[in-house]
Amino acid sequence: MAGHTITRAQLTEAVYQEVGLSRNESAELVESVIAEIGDALERGEMVKISSFGSFAVRQKGQRVGRNPKTGTEVPISPRRVLVFRASHALKHQINHGLTHRSTASGTSRAAARAGAARRHGDCV
């Protein structure tokens, strides 16, 4: 693992570079999208992002756990947990290295993806 983390600031910069909005507008857009995802999950709705994955909140019931150090049983209270399930497209991208960006040669990311899909026999 590389140990690199993508931050909100980096997402904002990517939106600024790709879409052409101002930096302030890009920051507002990123914050708005993150807030909407969070609000939908808080309401118990599933969030699906095409070719990326889906987020859902799952209810976990009360159970008895064990302190690994002492062996003492400890009750674990009921809670809601966030679950992410990656799409097949994202899994394929991760496993087959389709993240090649051709921005230096002037090719758009969408064109690069379409070319990669054609090389692998996928529908575009």
Side-chain angles (χ1 to χ4, degrees):
M1 289 256 186
H4 181 76
T5 302
I6 300 295
T7 65
R8 287 179 189 225
Q10 290 168 321
L11 289 173
T12 298
E13 185 64 22
V15 170
Y16 169 73
Q17 295 289 331
E18 292 286 326
V19 180
L21 297 174
S22 72
R23 280 196 166 87
N24 285 340
E25 290 171 328
S26 298
E28 289 173 10
L29 178 62
V30 168
E31 291 301 321
S32 175
V33 168
I34 291 171
E36 183 59 34
I37 290 171
D39 291 346
L41 291 168
E42 187 178 340
R43 292 188 302 266
E45 298 173 8
M46 179 183 275
V47 176
K48 289 185 178 183
I49 302 173
S50 179
S51 299
F52 184 71
S54 59
F55 297 89
V57 176
R58 198 176 86 198
Q59 183 69 38
K60 294 186 90 172
Q62 182 171 341
R63 64 187 176 94
V64 177
R66 191 174 302 276
N67 181 330
K69 191 170 187 177
T70 64
T72 308
E73 287 188 353
V74 180
I76 299 173
S77 58
R79 65 200 182 281
R80 296 179 354 153
V81 295
L82 180 64
V83 179
F84 173 74
R85 183 174 177 123
S87 72
H88 291 293
L90 181 59
K91 289 178 186 177
H92 188 269
Q93 177 180 344
I94 291 168
N95 289 316
H96 294 93
L98 298 180
T99 58
H100 304 295
R101 287 191 179 178
S102 301
T103 54
S105 64
T107 306
S108 73
R109 218 183 286 180
R113 270 192 236 113
R118 281 193 293 277
R119 286 191 298 277
H120 292 286
D122 296 339
C123 295
V124 179

